[in-house]
Amino acid sequence: MTTPNSEFLKTMSERGFIHQASDLEGLDKLARDGRIVAYVGYDCTAPSLHIGHLLSIMMLHWLQQTGGGKPIALMGGGTTRVGDPSGKDETRVLRSVEEIDANKDALKGVFAKFLKFGDQASDALMVDNAEWLAPLNYIEFLRDVGRHFSVNRMLTMDSAKLRLEREQELSFIEFNYMLLQAYDFVELNRRYGCNLQMGGSDQWGNIVTGIDLGRRMGAKDQLYALTCPLLTTASGAKMGKTAAGAVWLNEAQLSAYDYWQFWRNTEDADVARFLRLFTFLPLEEIARLEKLSGSEINDAKKVLATEATALLHGREKAEAAAETARKTFEQGALASDLPTVEIPRAELDAGIGILAAFVKAGLVASNSEARRQIQGGGLKVNDEAVTSDKASLAAPNVVAGVIKLSLGKKKHVLLKPV
């Protein structure tokens, strides 16, 4: 297929979302008539989704926005109890049902920022696969579902193959994950007429296994697969990882300011691509920003940061983050709405080591990393470079009620004694 006829696949193509598809022409016809019912699954392994999940959330958004059909956000209350081995070198830690349920509740709020939920035909649904997976009878599941799976074929899937090639353990419970994900597709088709599963390219094997299972179990519709690329930056780094860890979507795990800063620090070569994928800006405006060069590329980065942050945290917080950055970097001011970490006053009065202070602030992950930053002149206290890893902070370092800690020119945290 050259140019899609449906607005949905046209948008997917123009904005760079398509990596693989099982039948683009068939999907295009469904989308043109608004008859796609598509789902993406999200396991509840943490109290927040991270930026790696955002690409598939945007796919669900554009499906709904373009009139292509109905999106389903599937919460993995059941599959999280098993753990997806895809892309992992070691067995996932098994979580309690209570922890999974708590994580699931914490994840839900993000979707309302990108999808419209309700009772209309095109309104999004949020369902939990624990509804059908938790009550399963194991013997019946093996007879009804397991008999359709070839172990020989399962061993060729990347999620199993890579572990075995590296002689790393693949537990039996993880080996069953692809059965459960495939069964999700069948069950969603039965219950909601779901005919498309979307996800990252690492899920391709699991998705097409679901298509095959649906055919074998008599699914009433033809099932489809559509995956987006797993993004890396222009320099080859995995997108969404920083020195401090994952880029979380919930504000409890990552402030709106730090989220804005993540996008502001985008590599020059990635700005236009990320504007297409992670903002709602019209393509014409993105094309204009793409032409900026030299120092002007920083203006495009600020637009990316503000627009991406506005989608997740709201326009007010996005513009506040932009203003905080402007005051901090352009005026050198101590902006009061920089990220703040509280420290017991008694601990500060006793003197806290400089390494421990930067770790506590979340600017570095370990003492050894802090030492390396000091050697390179990367750490500052109240805008003064730290020259010794033996230094400590105490009450005299407090200015206007806080101590400003900085990593490089762009990351700042206020340490506040309480």
Side-chain angles (χ1 to χ4, degrees):
M1 185 177 68
T2 53
T3 303
N5 292 312
S6 67
E7 195 65 30
F8 172 58
L9 284 185
K10 183 180 178 184
T11 299
M12 289 292 96
S13 177
E14 291 176 340
R15 288 185 174 265
F17 285 95
I18 299 177
H19 180 72
Q20 288 173 290
S22 58
D23 178 3
L24 271 178
E25 289 189 4
L27 265 182
D28 197 34
K29 292 177 182 177
L30 285 177
R32 191 175 55 209
D33 298 332
R35 293 191 292 119
I36 290 178
V37 180
Y39 92 93
V40 179
Y42 301 91
D43 278 346
C44 312
T45 55
S48 173
L49 297 175
H50 56 72
I51 208 167
H53 298 107
L54 190 55
L55 209 57
S56 61
I57 296 175
M58 294 293 280
M59 293 173 80
L60 291 173
H61 164 83
W62 287 117
L63 173 68
Q64 187 175 47
Q65 188 69 24
T66 59
K70 185 182 190 72
I72 298 176
L74 179 67
M75 308 305 291
T79 43
T80 310
R81 302 182 196 184
V82 173
D84 183 3
S86 301
K88 297 295 178 183
D89 291 332
E90 56 188 28
T91 300
R92 288 182 184 269
V93 176
L94 292 180
R95 290 166 171 78
S96 68
V97 173
E98 293 75 19
E99 183 181 359
I100 291 170
D101 286 343
N103 287 343
K104 179 178 66 179
D105 290 339
L107 300 184
K108 292 179 178 178
V110 166
F111 294 95
K113 311 281 181 67
F114 299 88
L115 302 173
K116 178 181 178 293
F117 291 89
D119 299 324
Q120 302 302 313
S122 63
D123 287 345
L125 287 175
M126 180 176 288
V127 295
D128 184 351
N129 61 16
E131 289 180 28
W132 53 85
L133 295 181
L136 281 176
N137 176 291
Y138 186 58
I139 299 298
E140 290 180 4
F141 183 73
L142 288 179
R143 284 173 57 90
D144 297 342
V145 178
R147 66 189 178 90
H148 296 297
F149 284 79
S150 162
V151 171
N152 306 63
R153 185 167 181 271
M154 290 170 72
L155 289 173
T156 66
M157 297 292 188
D158 284 345
S159 57
K161 182 181 176 182
L162 295 177
R163 288 270 193 94
L164 298 176
E165 286 178 349
R166 297 169 184 168
E167 298 184 353
Q168 293 163 332
E169 182 177 299
L170 177 69
S171 70
F172 179 71
I173 191 172
E174 288 180 294
F175 193 55
N176 279 269
Y177 188 93
M178 66 180 74
L179 276 74
L180 299 180
Q181 182 170 339
Y183 184 65
D184 280 344
F185 204 173
V186 174
E187 194 66 31
L188 286 167
N189 177 255
R190 285 176 178 168
R191 294 178 179 226
Y192 305 105
C194 181
N195 49 20
L196 170 64
Q197 183 180 172
M198 302 191 293
S201 59
D202 61 332
Q203 294 296 318
W204 178 256
N206 288 340
I207 296 175
V208 296
T209 299
I211 292 176
D212 184 58
L213 181 63
R215 179 181 58 80
R216 292 173 183 271
M217 294 186 69
K220 60 183 179 181
D221 306 297
Q222 180 179 339
L223 304 183
Y224 299 85
L226 180 64
T227 63
C228 57
L230 290 181
L231 288 184
T232 56
T233 64
S235 62
K238 186 175 180 181
M239 186 186 168
K241 294 289 185 180
T242 68
V247 180
W248 300 108
L249 301 186
N250 283 13
E251 196 167 4
Q253 280 71 39
L254 186 73
S255 71
Y257 175 81
D258 283 335
Y259 190 76
W260 190 94
Q261 277 295 328
F262 168 78
W263 294 107
R264 171 63 179 83
N265 293 334
T266 295
E267 296 179 27
D268 292 2
D270 290 323
V271 175
R273 182 164 56 119
F274 290 173
L275 280 165
R276 292 187 185 95
L277 292 170
F278 298 109
T279 77
F280 296 163
L281 285 178
L283 292 174
E284 296 79 9
E285 174 63 10
I286 294 172
R288 183 188 70 78
L289 293 168
E290 192 173 9
K291 295 176 183 177
L292 299 179
S293 60
S295 61
E296 289 182 332
I297 194 69
N298 288 323
D299 294 332
K301 291 181 182 183
K302 292 173 186 176
V303 171
L304 169 63
T306 300
E307 293 302 315
T309 304
L311 293 184
L312 186 64
H313 296 295
R315 181 67 57 181
E316 184 176 344
K317 289 185 178 180
E319 292 180 353
E323 179 63 12
T324 296
R326 187 186 69 80
K327 289 179 179 177
T328 302
F329 307 134
E330 297 176 12
Q331 297 180 358
L334 182 63
S336 60
D337 50 355
L338 284 172
T340 301
V341 173
E342 294 182 345
I343 181 174
R345 188 175 297 277
E347 186 176 347
L348 185 64
D349 290 341
I352 180 173
I354 198 72
L355 304 180
F358 275 87
V359 172
K360 189 178 187 71
L363 289 169
V364 294
S366 63
N367 287 353
S368 58
E369 184 186 344
R371 287 192 184 94
R372 289 194 297 272
Q373 291 290 347
I374 290 172
Q375 291 170 2
L379 300 188
K380 293 183 179 180
V381 174
N382 294 332
D383 297 325
E384 295 291 332
V386 178
T387 57
S388 171
D389 62 8
K390 306 297 184 186
S392 61
L393 299 178
N397 296 110
V398 177
V399 177
V402 295
I403 302 173
K404 181 182 177 185
L405 304 184
S406 304
L407 170 61
K409 295 181 178 180
K410 297 182 178 180
K411 293 190 71 67
H412 309 272
V413 170
L414 303 180
L415 208 58
K416 182 177 180 180
V418 293

